[in-house]
Amino acid sequence: MDISTFLAAHRLPDSYRDIAQKWFIPLADEIFEHQSSAKKPFFVGVNGCQGSGKSTLCDFLVYYLTEHKKLNIVSLSVDDFYLDKSSRNALAVKVHPLLATRGVPGTHNVKLAQDTFDRLRGYGTVSVPRFSKATDNPFPVVEWPVINSPPDVVLVEGWCWGVKPQSRQQLEIPVNTLEQEEDPLGTWRNYVNKQLADSYQTLFEQMAFWVMLKAPSFDQVYHWRREQEHKLAEKVGSNQSGVMTDLEIKRFIQHYQRLTEHSLATLPASCNYVFHLDSSRQITHVDKAV
């Protein structure tokens, strides 16, 4: 199967052709089979830590299912539902300073996400939210892409997508320096966990099929996230306010550590496909639900 146009558009090496053929085309074919007998749209959740390749996988699924299966596909990221900077700053004042940083549950516009899901189930046109990490704010609404609804498949990807909340006991001990020094009373992590336990689970329950790109451990996140940030700097310029230095990345990813490690330990059991990655992001094997 010729995927040359996809490789060129995403500046991917030719070796990705073999990866797609071996791992991702079978996944796409199974999604195609499931959605053909399901009520439209068919929602697919994709989980993976930062830098694991979620966006590229979703881009490939969009390409393959559109070009080779003639389906109408919409791809969303939980990142596109981040609250704007001023709203997060308000949370930082009201609840805890760490909520100024985007990422964890509680820093997303959950109502906008649910409204978007609802509109995608109806008939007409839908404006799909988009967030600019370079400016740390949503793109203006007039710049959001508009699609015809209902699509055949909706892909929703995110680092915490599908993760269950932790127990009170799990929240007691800090997992890193950030929590120990900046959240000694556990106010931030308990707030995040409460948000995850409430409205986020309602969103997750709407997914009919789950895929996970599973890192070997949280240790890889810094290196993978650093690669992402350097690519962003090349694209928009390193002087943009939303582009982080390597030192800032090290602090930033500590916001994600608790739930990423919890996800790696608990989420695979509830996924239809789990692609196991090595430290170089290469897939070593896949577990499929029976």
Side-chain angles (χ1 to χ4, degrees), residues 12-31:
L12 292 168
D14 197 60
S15 58
Y16 192 88
R17 191 188 312 273
D18 295 331
I19 295 171
Q21 187 70 45
K22 182 176 181 179
W23 304 109
F24 298 150
I25 289 177
L27 166 64
D29 287 340
E30 185 160 340
I31 291 172

Side-chain angles (χ1 to χ4, degrees), residues 10 23 49 64-65 77 86 95 109 119 124 155 160 166 191 212 215:
H10 291 78
W23 304 109
C49 65
Y64 179 84
L65 292 171
S77 170
S86 64
V95 182
N109 188 336
R119 288 195 297 269
L155 305 171
C160 63
Q166 292 187 293
Y191 176 83
M212 184 181 192

Side-chain angles (χ1 to χ4, degrees), residues 101-112:
T101 301
R102 59 176 160 84
V104 296
T107 62
H108 301 92
N109 188 336
V110 175
K111 184 180 184 303
L112 177 61

Side-chain angles (χ1 to χ4, degrees), residues 47-50 52 159-164 166 212-221 224 256-271 274-277 287:
N47 174 282
C49 65
Q50 296 179 66
S52 60
W159 73 276
C160 63
W161 200 244
V163 181
K164 299 292 185 184
Q166 292 187 293
M212 184 181 192
L213 293 171
K214 186 179 183 293
S217 73
F218 184 76
D219 294 339
Q220 278 69 46
V221 173
W224 295 351
Y256 297 77
Q257 183 173 350
R258 171 177 294 277
L259 287 182
T260 298
E261 291 180 337
H262 182 55
S263 171
L264 292 173
T266 61
L267 190 61
S270 57
C271 289
V274 180
F275 294 103
H276 294 262
L277 311 179
D287 290 333

